[in-house]
Amino acid sequence: ENECAEEGGGAEGDLEQISGYFTVENCVDGMKTLVRDLFGIDMVEVDIPWEERWDVDTTATDTISPDNDDGGLRKFEFHHEEERPLGTMYFDLHPRDGKFVHAAHFTIRCGRIRENDEDGSCDQNDSNNIRDHQLPIVALVCNLSPSSSYSSSRTNNDAILSHSEVETLLHEFGHGLHSLLSRTPFQHLSGTRAAMDFVETPSHLFEHFSRDPAFLSRVLARHYITGVPLSERRARQLVAGARDFRGVDVMTQIVHSRFDQALFGDRPCTPSLGGVTSTEMFARLHREAGIPHAEGTHWHSRFGHLVTYGAGYYG
């Protein structure tokens, strides 16, 4: 009971209370800690030149000032003592009109080892060519909770997040690091442009830290008002609660993989070939797996991985 009072009150397992411990800045601190402790990398935030911003209309006369940090685009550079500069990562974390509505990692420029330039030489003074390496530039694009939902006195940079949003952010950060740390002479094989069954490994590795009780209580979860860290006992309860429906999660993934095969397998489901519609097939697979399905809906129409990853996504 005393612990609940110290940690902001609320019943055990109350996600609304626990979410007060997760903010964007806590996540950024956690990322800095992870790359430093795991790889000896310094992650440093730097100013963004006005011409690099895509979160505002830089040609408009009535747009915001570059000195007015509204928690939009952020820029981080990564350095290693031996490797020197490693690349750049942009964070575009909060929703705005016309923006991509999901969460993803985008490669702006792939990294690659280059032996020489087109003229047969290699300019060692070129900042983009440190040690004959084209430095990668990547962007993490999410739609996390904006701070305006909570208090006008708080900055968007310190927006309060749900635990699920923390998982998403660390997942995409793993993808970003995969692109930054990749070493290949072929830029189209760089980073996440790798074998499909490995693509999700770095992302899931970093997502794991959002469910590590020791890391949660030591670094990632501090209350946004008091600064008090989440106790390890409470963190273990949070992690245990996330496992309650693990079986449903696994069965849902099986439904998705079977649905992919139903669409793109040897005998695709389509009325033109004498089969059922995709919506009917999606509902049937849910029923066969014992997974609830809302009749009359077609969630699969927004499931982009069906036409990008394909069945390899589930490997």
Side-chain angles (χ1 to χ4, degrees), residues 24-25 28 45 48 72-76 89-91 157:
V24 168
E25 288 309 307
V28 170
E45 185 162 14
I48 307 177
L73 198 63
R74 303 174 68 176
K75 179 179 180 179
F76 295 86
M89 190 180 297
Y90 292 92
F91 283 13
N157 284 348

Side-chain angles (χ1 to χ4, degrees), residues 157-301:
N157 284 348
D158 204 17
I160 299 174
L161 307 178
S162 68
H163 183 252
S164 176
E165 289 177 312
V166 175
E167 291 179 316
T168 296
L169 183 52
L170 288 179
H171 179 102
E172 299 304 334
F173 185 63
H175 281 311
L177 285 178
H178 188 183
S179 290
L180 282 182
L181 304 183
S182 177
R183 293 293 183 270
T184 172
F186 306 106
Q187 69 173 13
H188 288 294
L189 295 177
S190 177
T192 54
R193 302 180 182 194
M196 186 60 71
D197 60 357
F198 182 76
V199 166
E200 295 296 332
T201 300
S203 57
H204 278 83
L205 169 63
F206 278 84
E207 184 181 327
H208 162 79
F209 287 100
S210 69
R211 296 187 291 269
D212 180 75
F215 189 72
L216 282 168
S217 59
R218 181 171 63 90
V219 178
L220 206 55
R222 299 187 305 274
H223 197 272
Y224 75 100
I225 294 177
T226 65
V228 174
L230 188 71
S231 71
E232 191 164 340
R233 182 176 73 86
R234 193 81 177 270
R236 286 196 299 269
Q237 291 173 340
L238 172 64
V239 173
R243 297 193 185 113
D244 286 346
F245 298 98
R246 179 58 180 161
V248 175
D249 290 340
V250 171
M251 290 304 298
T252 299
Q253 292 299 305
I254 292 174
V255 167
H256 291 170
S257 61
R258 291 186 65 197
F259 183 62
D260 180 275
Q261 294 300 306
L263 290 179
F264 304 111
D266 293 337
R267 301 176 61 185
C269 65
T270 172
S272 64
L273 297 178
V276 299
T277 66
S278 60
T279 300
E280 291 170 326
M281 175 59 72
F282 198 58
R284 188 175 84 186
L285 292 174
H286 276 78
R287 290 193 296 270
E288 291 176 357
I291 302 298
H293 175 72
E295 295 296 333
T297 63
H298 43 86
W299 176 87
H300 59 286
S301 64

Side-chain angles (χ1 to χ4, degrees), residues 122-130:
C122 188
D123 183 3
Q124 295 297 328
N125 294 319
D126 182 357
S127 62
N128 292 327
N129 196 25
I130 301 298

